[in-house]
């Protein structure tokens, strides 16, 4: 089983209200987002991670969702190439930081696009959502890079969700927390599924960290289902990030 030791997060920027959104929940309140972000970083630290919080990137309104800009594991670091044009360039400052942490960086090149929210690791396999943000070419490049490190990449065409991990999360122990199109997905048939109850699909993006699971607050049935499966849960209010279609995993890179 994985044990994470580090995480990277990025402070929300003042212009986050201009971030991409389909949620229809209104615009995020910056001060509240800062508080929620600080609590999130505290929760990662309480799970034993050394968290580096990068300074805000005021040029890119969605830059707090740092997960989308790279794919990291113990053997490889891959700089992503966001499919959303307003997010292109977020990956550059991150590459600088990662250059100091990894001996070698790979990157997704045009015409490939790939966002980290579409990448879900389960042991030695990486599932990659083919979405409006991640194209076949991006997935193919990721497969070639990770293949050199002994990992297998499985492409999963998406139907309704923004990113793969919007709808499904790996909780280790061969278990998936799944909603909607992932409840009975043929490519995920070998996993034990913890179904996310109707009306709580936002909580499908919960985050396993070293044996505990961070769960968005306000989704009691999902929290209960995860707890029943034997995990300690940590509820966190991320309402301001939800307004921008973001969830718990999007706010950090764990490695
Ligand atoms: C976007 O549309 O790109 C952001 N507003 C939300 C990104 C969420 N990231 C994620 O699911 N990994």
């Amino acid at each position: 089983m994985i044990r994470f030791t580090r995480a990277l997060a990025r402070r929300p920027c003042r212009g986050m209200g201009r971030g991409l959104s389909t949620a229809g929940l209104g615009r995020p309140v910056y001060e509240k987002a800062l508080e929620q972000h600080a609590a999130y970083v505290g929760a990662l630290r309480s799970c034993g991670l050394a968290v580096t919080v990068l300074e805000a990137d005021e040029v890119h309104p969605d830059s707090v969702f740092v997960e989308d800009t790279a794919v990291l594991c113990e053997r490889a670091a891959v700089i992503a190439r966001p499919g959303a044009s307003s997010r292109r360039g977020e990956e550059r400052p991150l590459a600088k930081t990662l250059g100091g942490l990894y001996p070698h960086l790979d990157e997704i090149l045009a015409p490939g696009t790939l966002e980290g929210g579409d990448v879900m690791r389960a042991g030695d396999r990486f599932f990659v959502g083919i979405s409006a943000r991640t194209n076949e070419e991006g997935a193919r490049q990721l497969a070639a890079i990770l293949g050199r490190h002994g990992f297998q990449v499985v492409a999963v065409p998406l139907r309704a969700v923004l990113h793969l991990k919007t709808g499904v999360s790996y909780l280790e122990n061969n278990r998936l927390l799944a909603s909607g199109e992932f409840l009975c997905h043929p490519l995920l048939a070998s996993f034990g599924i913890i179904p996310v109850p109707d009306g709580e699909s936002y909580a499908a993006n919960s985050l396993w960290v070293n044996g505990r699971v961070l769960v968005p607050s306000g989704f009691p049935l999902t929290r209960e289902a995860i707890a029943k499966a034997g995990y300690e849960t940590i509820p966190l209010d991320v309402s301001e990030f939800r307004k921008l279609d973001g969830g718990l995993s999007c706010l950090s890179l764990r490695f």
Side-chain angles (χ1 to χ4, degrees):
M1 190 182 297
I2 298 182
R3 183 140 195 106
F4 295 120
T5 56
R6 301 198 56 152
L8 294 176
R10 185 179 291 290
R11 241 173 96 88
C13 66
R14 286 183 184 280
M16 68 183 290
R18 296 191 308 275
L20 299 170
S21 175
T22 60
L25 296 171
R27 287 284 135 190
V29 177
Y30 173 65
E31 287 71 23
K32 206 167 162 194
L34 282 182
E35 273 169 34
Q36 292 179 352
H37 194 260
Y40 174 81
V41 168
L44 292 181
R45 290 190 172 131
S46 78
C47 294
L49 305 193
V51 186
T52 303
V53 182
L54 304 168
E55 58 190 60
D57 169 353
E58 295 293 345
V59 178
H60 297 100
D62 280 303
S63 51
V64 70
F65 302 114
V66 69
E67 170 179 69
D68 293 321
T69 57
V71 176
L72 303 182
C73 66
E74 66 282 13
R75 281 174 257 167
V78 185
I79 305 304
R81 183 166 181 273
S85 55
S86 67
R87 301 200 59 186
R88 222 37 77 72
E90 281 181 34
E91 71 283 9
R92 299 292 20 131
L94 189 88
K96 244 189 186 168
T97 304
L98 290 174
L101 298 173
Y102 281 85
H104 173 76
L105 301 180
D106 284 293
E107 60 184 313
I108 303 298
L109 302 172
T113 63
L114 181 125
E115 297 189 0
D118 274 320
V119 182
M120 178 182 77
R121 181 178 181 180
D124 280 346
R125 276 184 299 172
F126 283 77
F127 292 85
V128 182
I130 307 299
S131 67
R133 305 291 183 85
T134 296
N135 63 16
E136 301 262 5
E137 172 59 16
R140 194 197 59 71
Q141 290 182 27
L142 187 72
I145 295 164
L146 293 179
R148 292 200 291 276
H149 297 277
F151 295 109
Q152 194 198 342
V153 169
V154 181
V156 184
L158 305 187
R159 290 210 306 261
V161 285
L162 170 64
H163 287 125
L164 176 67
K165 283 185 292 189
T166 309
V168 62
S169 303
Y170 188 55
L171 303 187
E172 301 294 321
N173 312 303
N174 203 47
R175 283 214 190 93
L176 288 177
L177 179 67
S179 67
E181 64 198 87
F182 306 108
L183 285 167
C184 298
H185 199 292
L187 291 171
L188 305 174
S190 64
F191 296 100
I193 301 281
I194 302 174
V196 172
D198 280 350
E200 294 204 357
S201 60
Y202 177 73
N205 184 266
S206 288
L207 185 61
W208 181 96
V209 187
N210 296 345
R212 298 186 186 154
V213 181
L214 279 50
V215 188
S217 56
F219 302 92
L221 299 176
T222 306
R223 186 180 174 194
E224 199 180 301
I226 296 170
K228 248 198 186 142
Y231 300 89
E232 183 187 330
T233 59
I234 304 178
L236 283 170
D237 188 359
V238 282
S239 62
E240 302 316 290
F241 304 104
R242 186 182 183 199
K243 291 174 180 173
L244 297 179
D245 301 336
L248 285 163
S249 74
C250 323
L251 293 172
S252 66
L253 284 156
R254 292 76 49 199
F255 56 108

